[in-house]
Amino acid sequence: MEYRAPLRDMHFVLHEVMAAETLWQSMPGTAEFSASVVDAVLEEGARLTSELIAPLNPTGDREGVRLHQGGVATPEGYREAYRTLAEGGWVGLGGNPEYGGQGLPVMVTTLFEEMLQSASGAFALYVILTSGAALCLDTHGSEAMRAHCLPRLYSGDWTAAMCLTEAHAGSDLGLLRTRAEPLEGGRYRLAGTKIFITGGEHDLTENILYLVLARLPDAPEGSRGISLFLVSKFLLDEEGRPGERNAVHCGALEEKMGIHGSSTCVMHFDDAVGELIGEPHRGLEAMFTMMNDERLSVGLQGLGAAERAWQLSLAYARERRQGRAPGDPGRSRAEADPILVHADVRRMLLTQKAWVEGGRAFAAHCGRQLDLARHHPDASQRQRAGAMVALLTPLAKAFMTDRGMEGCLLAQQVFGGHGYIREWGVEQLVRDVRISQIYEGTNGIQAMDLLGRRVVADGGEVLGWLLEDIRDFLAGEGAALEAELRDPVRAAVDQLESLTRWLVAEATEDAHLVSAAAVDYLEALGRLLYGYLWARMAAVARRQLAAGGGEEGFYQAKLDTARFYMERLLPKVASLCQVMRQGSAATMAIAAEHLGP
Ligand SMILES: Cc1cc2nc3c(=O)[nH]c(=O)nc-3n(C[C@H](O)[C@H](O)[C@H](O)COP(=O)(O)OP(=O)(O)OC[C@H]3O[C@@H](n4cnc5c(N)ncnc54)[C@H](O)[C@@H]3O)c2cc1C
């Protein structure tokens, strides 16, 4: 079955729920964007992703990447597709217009990225890493770096890779050992080996840029002694033209569970020549510009895969006939009814629908905060939105990918045995989406970042702003909603607020509390936020139905799904809170040597 971009739902989120055009026209940096321009962009994005990229997904999975003549060959069709996409401006969709980017608001780029991820998660990685590296260079690079690199990254002449991980340094980057020795002329010589580097080598473009974390000779220990360097596969001359081959090579390709079309490389830097990006020893901070951008993109990988799986399983559930609808044996003359009639299949379908449509609204909500942080004319509003982005980023990465995995598994279950075999494509989605929970900082690390650094460290202040926003909505626009769509959200806000107060106080006494509670906390807050967004979507749907402008089926389905969410998915917040209040004692009690034989 072909991928069909959910354009109607995207319009609903962007225009009806987020009132994007009104926001853009109120800010100088985005005032040129109208709903009609953006809709035309999304329509073209939908055409390209469904016609050009989606067909490469199953073939890319079967063919995979391979070492070839000292380089890496990507699956057939990847090279042409990458060029077409870049020439159309899609790699630089959110990029800086001064250097050839399109400068579209993040609320729009998230929607396009979702389509790209639905079409092919493996292919999308080459695009998202390149646009993330461009953002990092634009923010922290020298003028020459911006002038030489950004136009080539946006145009698709070059791609970029992110080089953090080493064999002994994964989550703990403070352990990394790659060294950078100063050379004459302000350059550096880099030596070390990075592993698991996505897009480290490939045949899509003539050059590859590497953003590499390494240590200078006088560097302090740990994460405070890390600097960021730009290494080009081919050394760049004064004008930024690639010439001689640099001493960076792919030593091996990893064999993986999924995303077979994406190259995952062991990269050797054998005295490769590089340049410093930003200030010495401040590399991790600069790299976070790229990592935070990738975290939202990886969240969208979860969402995109779940959307594709949802489309496949809904179509299947409409066709597949097994069993009779209970309670009405004489109704159907067919031997069996479509499995859609069974409540348990409904449960699986509605859960997917709630996560996918809730996730789309959540991604747009994150995009809105990023747009405000970049473009709002008032500095205090930019700062507030920036703090909100810091709070939402670990959620965007971890909650969207956890729900992405859940959605793909539910779709596979809807298919029964047919979901386990290759033919229908759901099996590939399950394999491909799994990595999204692991890379770009595992979801456990995201949860600790959320609870430890974003909530407990500031005594819950920024979280308090978010809870206040939710309460304001419930007291204002949400007050017109039926109690069943409003009260569960209010209850979850109260539960989470009281739990947060308890955690902030207890964390000073119990050193393991944050780590023990983090994953549950992230899930509870994610469920609450989706609940808030479902209530907002329900309020819009209720208004549209009252206005009688048509599309009753679409809006009624929003209300029905919101109700399902409030009754079946939101109440888990209470039990998660209860679990967290147990503290860390039971988790830490057992002696390490007694955990197993
Ligand atoms: C296909 C693929 C592509 C990748 N692409 C890139 C790339 O392009 N660039 C790049 O630099 N890296 C890349 N990575 C690396 C990836 O980001 C890391 O694998 C990931 O960050 C986890 O590091 P690790 O594998 O060393 O696990 P570890 O850090 O060893 O973690 C193991 C387990 O311990 C937990 N853990 C670790 N520390 C703590 C702690 N302090 N508290 C609580 N729990 C903890 C983790 O959550 C995890 O469950 C890629 C990996 C893969 C598999």
Side-chain angles (χ1 to χ4, degrees), residues 235-486:
L235 290 165
L236 305 180
D237 67 14
E238 298 282 288
E239 305 295 316
R241 283 177 303 236
E244 213 181 300
R245 186 77 164 80
N246 205 349
V248 48
H249 296 281
C250 171
L253 281 177
E254 303 294 350
E255 290 193 16
K256 313 189 290 282
M257 173 179 176
I259 52 165
H260 290 150
S262 167
S263 63
T264 307
C265 309
V266 175
M267 297 301 301
H268 300 300
F269 294 84
D270 300 322
D271 290 338
V273 176
E275 289 175 69
L276 183 69
I277 301 174
E279 291 174 43
H281 313 317
R282 308 279 299 266
L284 213 49
E285 271 169 66
M287 198 55 155
F288 263 106
T289 303
M290 178 167 185
M291 282 154 72
N292 283 334
D293 186 64
E294 301 305 338
R295 283 174 180 175
L296 177 56
S297 294
V298 171
L300 292 165
Q301 182 178 7
L303 173 61
E307 164 66 31
R308 184 89 178 96
W310 152 242
Q311 290 187 14
L312 292 170
S313 63
L314 175 63
Y316 188 79
R318 286 189 165 132
E319 295 291 320
R320 176 72 173 168
R321 289 175 176 271
Q322 292 291 295
R324 291 289 192 97
D328 193 8
R331 184 183 55 82
S332 165
R333 262 176 293 163
E335 231 174 52
D337 289 322
I339 55 174
L340 194 73
V341 302
H342 306 301
D344 184 53
V345 176
R346 287 288 185 115
R347 171 190 64 79
M348 294 191 276
L349 291 172
L350 276 168
T351 304
Q352 289 181 66
K353 184 174 166 69
W355 291 142
V356 163
E357 294 176 11
R360 187 166 299 123
F362 177 63
H365 182 71
C366 295
R368 187 186 168 90
Q369 297 301 324
L370 276 158
D371 288 334
L372 286 168
R374 271 176 212 167
H375 300 293
H376 200 285
D378 177 349
S380 65
Q381 290 299 317
R382 285 201 301 277
Q383 218 175 356
R384 188 185 200 275
M388 208 54 96
V389 168
L391 180 75
L392 295 177
T393 299
L395 273 159
K397 196 278 173 178
F399 194 69
M400 281 207 283
T401 57
D402 283 347
R403 302 290 72 79
M405 185 78 236
E406 184 185 339
C408 290
L409 286 171
L410 285 169
Q412 189 176 39
Q413 199 71 16
V414 168
F415 270 84
H418 299 269
Y420 195 72
I421 61 169
R422 226 178 204 182
E423 185 183 350
W424 295 88
V426 188
E427 164 271 350
Q428 186 192 341
L429 286 166
V430 169
R431 282 188 288 107
D432 283 356
V433 79
R434 180 68 178 94
I435 185 62
S436 66
Q437 298 177 295
I438 297 172
Y439 60 14
E440 210 37 67
T442 63
N443 285 3
I445 295 291
Q446 302 300 324
M448 287 181 50
D449 180 45
L450 173 72
L451 182 55
R453 311 245 296 269
R454 312 290 157 208
V455 176
V456 170
D458 79 350
E461 189 185 346
V462 178
L463 178 85
W465 302 344
L466 181 65
L467 299 184
E468 228 24 71
D469 286 348
I470 301 178
R471 285 203 173 104
D472 286 349
F473 163 78
L474 293 172
E477 203 189 340
L481 280 171
E482 306 83 313
E484 65 193 28
L485 296 180
R486 199 185 54 220

Side-chain angles (χ1 to χ4, degrees), residues 101-150:
Q102 307 293 316
L104 266 98
V106 186
M107 260 199 279
V108 182
T109 60
T110 53
L111 293 176
F112 173 67
E113 274 192 32
E114 182 206 312
M115 295 183 207
L116 194 61
Q117 295 287 3
S118 286
S120 174
F123 180 90
L125 287 170
Y126 298 104
V127 178
I128 65 167
L129 281 158
T130 301
S131 52
L135 180 68
C136 184
L137 288 172
D138 194 19
T139 314
H140 304 284
S142 63
E143 180 47 44
M145 283 176 189
R146 280 199 292 274
H148 295 160
C149 303
L150 296 187

Side-chain angles (χ1 to χ4, degrees), residues 156-235:
D157 292 331
W158 304 350
T159 62
M162 182 172 75
C163 306
L164 288 69
T165 307
E166 298 177 9
H168 52 278
S171 304
D172 188 355
L173 291 170
L175 299 174
L176 68 83
R177 290 187 198 137
T178 297
R179 309 218 59 94
E181 303 278 344
L183 291 169
E184 280 182 13
R187 295 191 163 194
Y188 296 81
R189 194 197 300 278
L190 275 84
T193 295
K194 299 283 180 181
I195 65 163
F196 295 162
I197 304 307
T198 302
E201 186 58 88
H202 58 72
D203 57 2
L204 300 182
T205 53
E206 65 185 32
N207 192 25
I208 303 172
L209 297 180
Y210 303 94
L211 269 61
V212 189
L213 289 181
R215 285 182 185 286
L216 289 163
D218 58 345
E221 293 280 297
S223 55
R224 287 176 200 283
I226 296 173
S227 305
L228 179 61
F229 297 86
L230 177 66
V231 173
S232 178
K233 178 174 164 183
F234 292 94
L235 290 165

